[in-house]
Amino acid sequence: AGLSKEKINESIKDKDFDELFSIAKARIKNDKIDSNLIFNEEDLRFATNSLVAKYRAKRLKCDTMLEIGSGIGVQTIEFAKTCKKVIAVEKDKRKFRYLKLNLEIKGIKNVEFINKDIFKAIDELKFDYAFCDPEREESEKERTIESIKPNLNKLTEKIENICIELPPQIKLVPFECEKEYVSVNGKLNRLNVYLGKLKKNKISAVALPSEARLTKEDENYIKEKGYARNYLYEIDKAVVKAGLQ
């Protein structure tokens, strides 16, 4: 209605007003996740696009998935649909509270919740594959592995078959892995790196929502070059970032 935050606060006297106001603003801005979930502006900024979450859940389908850094549960919800069991680890108390609320809202029962640092829990857990959505600074001059939490070098020593989400702008990925650049509606969105059994190619690009996939190995199938047609199309940003144009 165009009212200021101060004006609204006059009529809503609540000790959690700032958080409620942030949730309301996030719902108005939201165009990428289920609006029935509980999330604030920070959560929305870092939330996984629902198209990416659905695609990733299909690729990582297994019996037991360990999800590290579950946040408010957007990816957890999709893993719960493709895996028999999900172990959701989130150390932030507020996000953990929203995670449990959101899975309750969606009626999901096959998730085990752990509110701990992953390194305090990992040795007691049994799972097939792992996925990690690490913490990162909101803005940096240059994205690096060193500024990401938890410590990914330490994590990959503990877990062999893991997919890690990284900022697509990152220049150096110090792992023997598949780098998968993902776009949503032509805009670069995510970089997934796959280690161990999850690695299929050296580098790949996936366009969502179509799920069209291009890999380095596809070069072998190009028999001849075509000719210029009547239209020019802009190359998908994930293809460019992967160097597959």
Side-chain angles (χ1 to χ4, degrees), residues 24-244:
K25 283 186 71 176
R27 284 184 168 176
I28 291 168
K29 294 176 183 178
N30 178 41
D31 63 355
K32 63 178 182 178
I33 63 175
D34 187 342
S35 290
N36 293 315
L37 302 180
I38 308 296
F39 54 91
N40 65 20
E41 292 171 284
E42 178 191 351
D43 298 328
L44 180 62
R45 190 178 302 116
F46 292 105
T48 302
N49 185 292
S50 58
L51 289 172
V52 176
K54 290 177 189 295
Y55 163 74
R56 203 152 45 195
K58 284 200 287 186
R59 174 154 179 180
L60 297 175
K61 181 179 179 180
C62 63
D63 282 346
T64 303
M65 168 62 67
L66 170 63
E67 186 188 12
I68 303 162
S70 299
I72 61 165
V74 176
Q75 184 66 67
T76 318
I77 290 166
E78 299 305 327
F79 280 147
K81 295 174 184 177
T82 61
C83 302
K84 290 182 180 178
K85 179 182 177 181
V86 180
I87 304 170
V89 180
E90 174 54 60
K91 69 176 184 178
D92 184 280
K93 289 184 178 180
R94 180 194 63 80
K95 289 179 183 178
F96 185 73
R97 188 166 71 252
Y98 286 16
L99 168 67
K100 296 185 77 173
L101 279 170
N102 286 331
L103 268 70
E104 186 178 326
I105 287 169
K106 302 300 289 185
I108 291 172
K109 307 290 187 184
N110 60 331
V111 175
E112 177 185 343
F113 302 99
I114 299 178
N115 185 202
K116 284 184 180 180
D117 182 286
I118 183 58
F119 295 115
K120 294 180 179 178
I122 186 67
D123 293 333
E124 302 169 11
L125 303 176
K126 296 186 183 299
F127 52 90
D128 299 300
Y129 298 151
F131 169 71
C132 179
D133 185 355
E135 294 179 36
R136 48 200 178 274
E137 297 294 332
E138 186 176 343
S139 60
E140 293 178 304
K141 287 185 178 180
E142 184 177 333
R143 294 293 192 185
T144 64
I145 292 289
E146 288 72 29
S147 64
I148 289 173
K149 299 176 183 178
N151 184 306
L152 296 185
N153 290 316
K154 186 177 175 182
L155 191 65
T156 53
E157 288 175 5
K158 291 276 188 181
I159 305 172
E160 180 181 359
N161 303 313
I162 185 171
C163 170
I164 303 170
E165 179 185 303
L166 294 175
Q169 300 83 7
I170 203 162
K171 292 182 179 179
L172 181 63
V173 179
F175 306 121
E176 178 61 36
C177 63
E178 172 185 349
K179 292 189 287 186
E180 178 188 69
Y181 292 92
V182 181
S183 68
V184 176
N185 297 320
K187 294 182 178 180
L188 186 62
N189 187 274
R190 289 289 192 274
L191 167 59
N192 297 319
V193 297
Y194 300 92
L195 285 73
K197 293 179 182 178
L198 296 174
K199 178 185 174 183
K200 294 181 179 179
N201 309 98
K202 287 185 177 180
I203 195 161
S204 57
V206 174
L208 300 178
S210 70
E211 296 189 16
R213 182 181 180 83
L214 190 66
T215 74
K216 185 71 175 173
E217 285 71 17
D218 289 327
E219 287 184 341
N220 299 329
Y221 296 98
I222 299 173
K223 301 300 181 184
E224 60 183 41
K225 293 184 179 180
Y227 55 89
R229 297 181 181 272
N230 296 329
Y231 301 94
L232 289 175
Y233 295 90
E234 185 177 0
I235 298 174
D236 188 285
K237 294 295 188 296
V239 173
V240 176
K241 196 69 179 177
L244 297 174

